[in-house]
Structures are given as C-alpha cells and as structure tokens.
Amino acid sequence: MTAGDERVPPGLDVSRPNVARVYDYTLGGKDNYAIDREVADLSHEVMPARAGARANRAFLRRVVRFLVAEAGIRQFIDIGSGLPTQGNVHEVAQAIDPAARVVYVDYDPVVLVHARALLGRTNTTEVITADVRRPEEILGNPMLREFLDFDQPIGLLLFAVLHHVNDDEDPVGITRYLRDELPAGSYLAISHFHNPGEAEPQYAAMAAEAEKVFSENLGTGRFRSRAEILEFFGDFELLDPGLVPYNDWRPDDGVFPVPEAMRHLALCGVARKP
C-alpha cells in the first residue's frame, strides 16, 4: 500500500499522526510519514522542538552513562522508548558494561517490530509492547520479571513520555506505582515539557500554544508546572543539580545547544530511591 509516494507496510494506519513517528522525524529519522511530519512541523512553528528533542536525547545518554559508570546500575527499563535511533539506551550502557540489561517498553506495536529488527537475537536487551497508562502490566510482564532481577537496583527511564499522559489518566498515580515497585537503590530519570507560568509570561504563552498543537493533533502533550513535574519523583532523593533544563543536567561535551526558549519549555531530573 502507498501513502502518496510513500510505501506503507500492510496494516499500518498512516492517516493519523503517531507520537513515536513524530519524535522520530524530529530527531531526523526516516521511519515517519507525511501526516507525522505535518504535525512535527506545526510544533516547530511554535517552539524549538527539533533542538529540544536532540537535547533530550543527549540528556538520555548522559544519564545512562552516569548510572552505569558511577551509580553501578546494570539493568534498565525504558518506558515510552519510541522508534530506535542513534544512541539508544542499550548502546550507551553496553559500551561501558556489555552485560548491562535493558528492557524497552512502548505501546506502539510498530516500535516492537523496528526494535526487534535492530536488536536481533540478544540475551541482554528485550522489548515489550505495553502502555505506561497501565503500569501494572509493564512491571507484571513475565518476560520482564524473568529478564531483570528485582532484588537489585534498576534504572527506570521516563524520557518525554509523561507529558503524553493526560491529567485524567492519573500520571501521579502511575509514577507512584512505578516508584513503589522499584527495588531500593533504584534510580528514576524524567524529562518533561514545562510551562513556567506567570513568572515567564512569554514562554508560558509559547507553552500554551505548543500544548494546543499537540492536543489537537496527537491528543496528548501537557506542559506542566515545575511543582507538577517534581511530584512525579515522590519521596525519591533528587540528585544534583535538581530539576533543571536539559543542558544543565551534568553537562559534558555531548550537550546539544538549544535556543533560549527551550531552556524554559522542558525540565529534567534524576532521583534515587532510598
């Protein structure tokens, strides 16, 4: 089947935009279609989304390197992993320790197909189809439970996924459940769209306009306040430098430069379970 001049795998709906494919296009990937590019381009008109996506990816790489090299974490759950691209969690972690284990989780079955094609057969990396909105199905997955050791700390990664959970879908309850189920000594990393509110009206207006674009075209895309994002970490111990713009979290030579606006429109942080 085709969509315009593009070939489309059987059974794939390309009449509606898809979060994973929109993000793939934003990162410069090729696994996307015209409808996804249209939505991404709309978002770029109201905020520096391309630079933000790349800065978020650079944050991911720094977090994973820190967790493996300094915190001693050897197993990860990446929820809302999206379509495979360069610098995936398993590539970063296993470059330091080839035995590090990673489970990718995404609700999109297309992600499962692409991820398995990329990974091939491996005893250190797995992928499952599940929705962050049903966290008990993720942590209760028999394969995940067998693949990871819940007697040892885990790195739980929620990069750019919680802002696609609407308020009426209980993101606070979802993150509470995930935190409660993690072993002591585990780490939680989050990146999230941010609305700075009345303190920065210029950027608050930009956040509101971007949220409107995402909501109308994808059905999700919440820009939350700093307090709302902090609530997702619960009683975990937030590591220095706290909840900060992407490029302020332990920067190194791999930081991706962003326009000033992006410093106000997204926040990130890493916390440890006591």
Side-chain angles (χ1 to χ4, degrees):
M1 117 181 229
T2 61
D5 295 328
E6 297 176 302
R7 295 188 62 82
V8 180
L12 185 62
D13 180 8
V14 296
S15 65
R16 301 175 63 182
N18 171 281
V19 171
R21 298 196 309 255
V22 169
Y23 190 58
D24 173 74
Y25 172 66
T26 303
L27 284 170
K30 299 178 180 178
D31 296 309
N32 51 77
Y33 297 92
I35 189 67
D36 308 305
R37 296 190 286 274
E38 180 181 338
V39 172
D41 289 342
L42 283 172
S43 71
H44 302 326
E45 291 177 7
V46 297
M47 67 178 284
R50 287 190 180 91
R54 286 164 171 77
N56 179 59
R57 201 72 188 176
F59 166 64
L60 176 152
R61 291 191 288 269
R62 296 197 304 278
V63 169
V64 174
R65 282 196 294 268
F66 162 76
L67 291 179
V68 178
E70 298 185 41
I73 298 297
R74 293 297 182 269
Q75 46 186 3
F76 294 86
I77 304 173
D78 183 5
I79 300 179
S81 54
L83 289 162
T85 184
Q86 293 184 338
N88 297 289
V89 173
H90 75 281
E91 294 170 324
V92 178
Q94 293 166 9
I96 301 170
D97 184 347
R101 294 190 162 215
V102 178
V103 177
Y104 293 109
V105 183
D106 202 283
Y107 78 101
D108 188 344
V110 174
V111 170
L112 178 69
V113 173
H114 280 273
R116 285 186 173 165
L118 170 72
L119 297 172
R121 297 182 63 85
T122 173
N123 60 3
T124 55
T125 309
E126 279 286 358
V127 55
I128 63 174
T129 300
D131 195 325
V132 67
R133 297 169 182 83
R134 295 187 291 277
E136 66 283 352
E137 294 182 10
I138 296 175
L139 297 190
N141 183 283
M143 187 284 296
L144 182 144
R145 284 284 173 172
E146 182 177 345
F147 194 72
L148 301 181
D149 181 0
F150 272 72
D151 289 328
Q152 298 297 322
I154 291 171
L156 176 61
L157 311 178
L158 297 173
F159 296 114
V161 63
L162 289 174
H163 51 232
H164 291 300
V165 179
N166 291 319
D167 293 345
D168 61 1
E169 294 169 319
D170 193 19
V172 172
I174 289 169
T175 50
R176 183 190 306 115
Y177 176 88
L178 292 168
R179 292 194 313 268
D180 288 348
E181 293 296 308
L182 289 176
S186 293
Y187 287 79
L188 170 63
I190 293 174
S191 61
H192 198 294
F193 289 154
H194 173 235
N195 186 327
E198 295 179 359
E200 297 176 329
Q202 173 188 354
Y203 298 117
M206 192 178 292
E209 182 62 24
E211 181 172 293
K212 183 172 182 287
V213 168
F214 283 115
S215 296
E216 290 179 352
N217 292 279
L218 292 173
T220 62
R222 283 280 285 113
F223 283 68
R224 293 188 167 98
S225 69
R226 180 183 184 85
E228 288 175 312
I229 300 169
L230 278 171
E231 191 173 6
F232 297 142
F233 290 100
D235 61 354
F236 279 27
E237 300 167 348
L238 200 63
L239 306 187
D240 289 336
L243 188 65
V244 294
Y246 291 154
N247 286 358
D248 290 357
W249 199 90
R250 307 194 179 195
D252 59 18
D253 293 341
V255 164
F256 189 92
V258 296
E260 179 63 23
M262 204 61 229
R263 293 182 51 79
H264 304 269
L265 297 175
L267 296 175
C268 65
V270 179
R272 181 180 182 274
K273 184 169 185 173

